[in-house]
Amino acid sequence: MLVFLAQRLFAALITIWIATIAVTLLIHLVPGDPVRIMFGGFQTTEAELEAIRTRLGLDQPIWRQYLMFLGRLAEGDLGRSIVGNQPVLDILLERLPATLALTLASLAVAIVVGMGLGFLAAVKRGTWIDSTAMILAIVGVSMPHFWLGLLLLFLFSVTLGWLPVAGGDWRSLILPALTLGLATAAVLARMTRSAMIDVLDQDFVRTARAKGLPGTLVLSRHVLRSGLVPISAMLGMQFAYLMGGAIVVENVFAWNGLGRLAIQAVLARDYPLIQGFILFFATIVALASVVIDLLYAVLDPRIRYAK
Amino acid sequence: MTEILLDVRDLTVAFGTSRAVEGLSYQLARGETLAVVGESGSGKSVSSLALLGLLPPRAAQVLSGQAMFGGTDLLSLNDAELRRIRGRRISMIFQEPMTSLTPVLRLGQQLTEGLIVQEGLSARVAHSRACEMLERVGLDAPERRMRQYPHQLSGGQRQRVMIAMAMLVQPEILIADEATTALDVTVQGQILDLIRDLQAEFGMSVLMITHDMGVVAEMGDRVLVMHRGQKVEDGHVSDVLARPRAPYTQGLLEAVPRLGAGAALRSAPRDTAERRVILRADGLRKSFARRNWLGKTQAETHALDDVSFDLCAGETLALVGESGSGKSTTGRAVLGLMPLDAGRVMIEGRDLRDFSGSALRQARRHMQMIFQDPFASLNPRLSAARLVGEPLVIHGLARGQELTDRVADLFRRVGLDHGHMTRYPHEFSGGQRQRLSIARALATGPRFIVADEPTSALDVSIQAQILDLMRGLQQDLGLAYLFISHDLAVVERLAHRVAVMRAGRIVELGPTDQVLHAARHPYTQQLIAAVPVPDPALRRNRSALAYDGEMPMGPLTHVAPDHLVAQ
Amino acid sequence: MITGTQDLARDLANAGVVRQRGFWRGLLASPSGVIGLALVGVLIITAALAPLIAPYNPLQMAAGPRLAPPSLAHPMGTDQFGRDVLSRVVHGARLTLLVGTVAVSLSLVAGLALGLLAGYAGGWLERIFMRLVDVLFSFTEIVIALACLAILGVGLTNAMIAIGIAAIPFYARITHSVVLVEKSKPYFEAGIAAGAGHMRLIFLHLLPNVVPTLIVVATLGISTAVLAAAGLSFLGLGAQPPQPEWGFMLASSRDLISRAPWMMIFPGLAIALTVLGFNLLGDGIREAMDPRQRRRQ
């Protein structure tokens, strides 16, 4: 168990480490002169551009830049945004709570709706409940986040007027969380159904029934517990997709989180901010997957009791 | 007159439009064992699952019939009523011990939950009853077992837990559905003994569902033979096995390989004087290490441990053993398909390690392989002619018209039709595919062929044909075979010498007749005793099976000129 | 992301995709497969015949009044410049199909090469490679695509390349798992035992057995690429005005959502139906192939 945990933490560190290399390389892969691209729009002289290059360390050999980057990173310095000239870390931290609120609320929606629907469909396999749930799920999987968002916006804000179109309070969280949550729920419902059906077809379910246990006990004790194992294994990736989806959804609802920031940064070619965002994103996803792997280990004795 | 406990009449079960069981009737008396025997798809399992309402819902349907048990018709009960009988008065054990227990729950919970829910026992009473039963079925440290999870037990241990679970409620009928099929033969023998002992002790009736005539002879009082969902014949085991009336039963019994009948079929052993060693394995070692994430070795399993033997031109040496004994690993190692930790493989006096990559590839024309699964070992995207010709092309032995002629010649040699050359593997039958594999192995004119369970994926009748073909080729071409098999009866028909492997070591090596009929090592004796014999008069030698002393696993020592046994 | 694509690939590889006839019969017997094929068919026909189907030039301003609701003259209404939404949606099918196939081809070829090499080579090369792929995978495709666009700059062509690059880890991973399945089949070892060299093993034994599975997976992957392209255009990183791209059309509808909801409904419907078509096709293939379903019979 401890070995497993150490292994997962190590993997997370590797992910973050590779992300640091990737963001350092990023700026060097830009065709042409990144400084000119970033500042070309402003009134700048050649000398000023040279000064910026020195300040960003772009005149140094690349390995040197990487070491400098790591050194600053250790001090919590991710550089300064080109557009606002604020420290990148401050900007990211300021936007983080909004994104976390959105992803966690969506995750809750996804788990309740998705896993519930999937479990129901698996248990009622072959009935109209199953078909309906699975039609909903495939439509949901095919639905672009941004269109679903616009449809919900049109329905609840424009037509019914129940919820605000934009804003910052909790009421304006409902629609984005619903959008992202339902889209993920569709994926989760399909995964849950197939995982549960795999379990229902297992010999041990027949053993439990042969023991004469009531159906509900077979489902709750033997089937659900066993089915949660493969599902929790897939949850880590789902969280990453949720974070990715948040980038789009935040832009639909003008929700001021990291995703909105990222798009603005790419459009403005604000490289320090883009670098910071990618690093930040990779770190959150890596840490979340450690947490989810822990959950997985708790559910599966084969891992908990591995030598 | 014995009391009839279960009376099944005219049972018909359908899967969709096809009938899995049709008009089946039988009776089971108190305390007796009824063996239901048939091949896969004969409906033998379906018929008993139907009794307990355990068929996959929706997919299967009971169309008609009655199953009277203690005055009620099981087939007319709803699930709640059936639950009072299922797992209480009728228990069941299944084929796959590896998958029949819930992996995420402790054994204790799985053992006791039936008692708690069904009999209303307190957790504590249920716990102590379960512990007692675990001990009764031969598991040590029951308290510890109760806290364990299924993955911490071996297959045989899990099947013991399943039996304990079934016996806890002291059922009137125990249904054992291919309960020993997935186990190694020695474990199978132990489990069968356990079931028989429990039956004597608790006096329940047993419905033994099996495909194995040996198990029938071993366990059954009466036998019911099923074929395509219907009863073919039934009667006392001794009658049916000695004088089968139905042609189907006769065929089934004839196809069973019998130890002791194969010697006459073997080709004459080569004269010792002209023995020319073409393959020498010398102290082969291989361990598979499980490494942790830092690459540090955590656990080692010795797949091969000091394995040495010679293979001479024109002879067949059989490697026998149970799964995991290292026999297949040996086969792959001598072909250089797997790196060794230590030891050397000499091909006609040259060390395999001395061959560089391309030289090794060239050397492969002298050593070929026939695989267990002929379908999987043939590239599905190549035609039969290309498959057979491939070794010739690789080694640059033939091209153009000559290639075509030689391929055609190989087809003729293994008894395949010329017209089949343009077909693809999936268009052949299993036996034909194995002929293709053999043709492919013969293409380069090898000195020896490693045959890894070449007949175990085939039907019994086809098996005999392939063995005949291999023997004929050996006589004509002077081939040597390293024949890997778990089936002693098959080995007896082909091998001149036998090496018995256990846990990565050879424990006994000698001429076939001596090893199979005058075995010296207790493990060999166990292996032979465990082979079920379809003759109730010849029930197994229980004392050999029950051997529980330390198995001698030391170096091989001569007990006769050609006969070596581990000390 | 298509759920369980890796499992599907493994199932396809295990089944060998040899039984082509049974495969098509199975596909046409499943409702999902038939509807999926129909939707994809409609998309292809629309794209091919766009100039014939579209009543107006998609770029022509003032083809009708501005922001006109759906009518006989403009079945999907008009936008803020008076352009015919139907014509723009129809022409958008071309861009969608183009972006989808080009992006998928890019990722397929690169992923196939990498996955095949790593899977064949084995050992430390494989371990390092797979670890790297796993890491890239956890960055998610959208972040990789954003990084690529940050390098290349915005625009539909760059978005297409970015989506293609972003999906390489996915295809490399799938290829790798399919290669492992094929390598574990005895015919591969039979090839080694026969003395075949690296080139013969890779190109004659592995590749022909890996490619069919990958083509099926890639076809299904078009839906992911379409979704991603529309998403990037919606965010303003892909298609630029006045291209009739569905995602971009949705983006410009956002501020007019209360005045002209038709601008939002029809392009969105087009994207959803396209993606649905490919997803249903995938389900159909799954049903036709599922070895578990087969085993049960």
Side-chain angles (χ1 to χ4, degrees), chain B residues 185 209 255 284 289 555:
Chain B
V185 273
I209 298 164
L284 307 187

Side-chain angles (χ1 to χ4, degrees), chain C residues 62 103 125:
Chain C
L125 189 71

Side-chain angles (χ1 to χ4, degrees), chain C residues 110-140:
Chain C
L112 189 64
L114 292 171
L116 193 60
L117 209 63
Y120 178 78
W124 59 268
L125 189 71
E126 180 183 24
R127 272 206 297 280
I128 291 181
F129 171 79
M130 285 321 291
R131 178 48 68 81
L132 195 68
V133 163
D134 279 347
V135 168
L136 287 177
F137 211 61
S138 75
F139 284 2
T140 73

Side-chain angles (χ1 to χ4, degrees), chain A residues 125 193-210 218-219 222-227 229-230 302, chain B residues 49 54-57 94-104 110 150 158 162, chain C residues 292 295-296:
Chain A
R125 175 166 31 152
R193 177 177 181 271
S194 76
M196 287 297 169
I197 282 180
D198 279 351
V199 173
L200 282 167
D201 285 348
Q202 296 276 321
D203 293 340
F204 63 76
V205 176
R206 191 179 53 186
T207 306
R209 290 179 60 213
V218 175
L219 285 181
H222 293 264
V223 177
L224 192 59
R225 273 295 308 275
S226 309
V229 174
R302 278 162 294 194
Chain B
L49 289 171
L54 290 175
L55 287 173
F94 300 101
Q95 174 172 2
E96 287 292 340
M98 306 312 272
T99 54
S100 290
L101 291 163
T102 306
V104 295
Q110 301 192 52
R158 287 186 217 190
M162 283 294 293
Chain C
R292 275 166 295 191
R295 238 182 281 133
R296 244 173 254 145

Side-chain angles (χ1 to χ4, degrees), chain B residues 332 361 364 376 379 390 395, chain C residues 187 189 192 194 200 205 209:
Chain B
R332 299 182 60 226
R361 280 205 294 280
R364 289 198 187 285
N379 187 339
E390 190 186 18
H395 297 287
Chain C
Y187 78 78
E189 192 161 65
I192 300 177
R200 178 172 274 268
H205 289 281
N209 285 296

Side-chain angles (χ1 to χ4, degrees), chain C residues 64-77:
Chain C
R66 290 178 181 196
L67 297 178
S71 63
L72 267 182
H74 302 283
M76 295 185 183

Side-chain angles (χ1 to χ4, degrees), chain C residues 84-116:
Chain C
D84 181 50
V85 174
L86 172 63
S87 305
R88 290 177 69 72
V89 168
V90 166
H91 278 270
R94 293 191 145 186
L95 285 179
T96 296
L97 212 54
L98 178 78
V99 173
T101 43
V102 171
V104 165
S105 309
L106 173 67
S107 29
L108 176 64
V109 171
L112 189 64
L114 292 171
L116 193 60

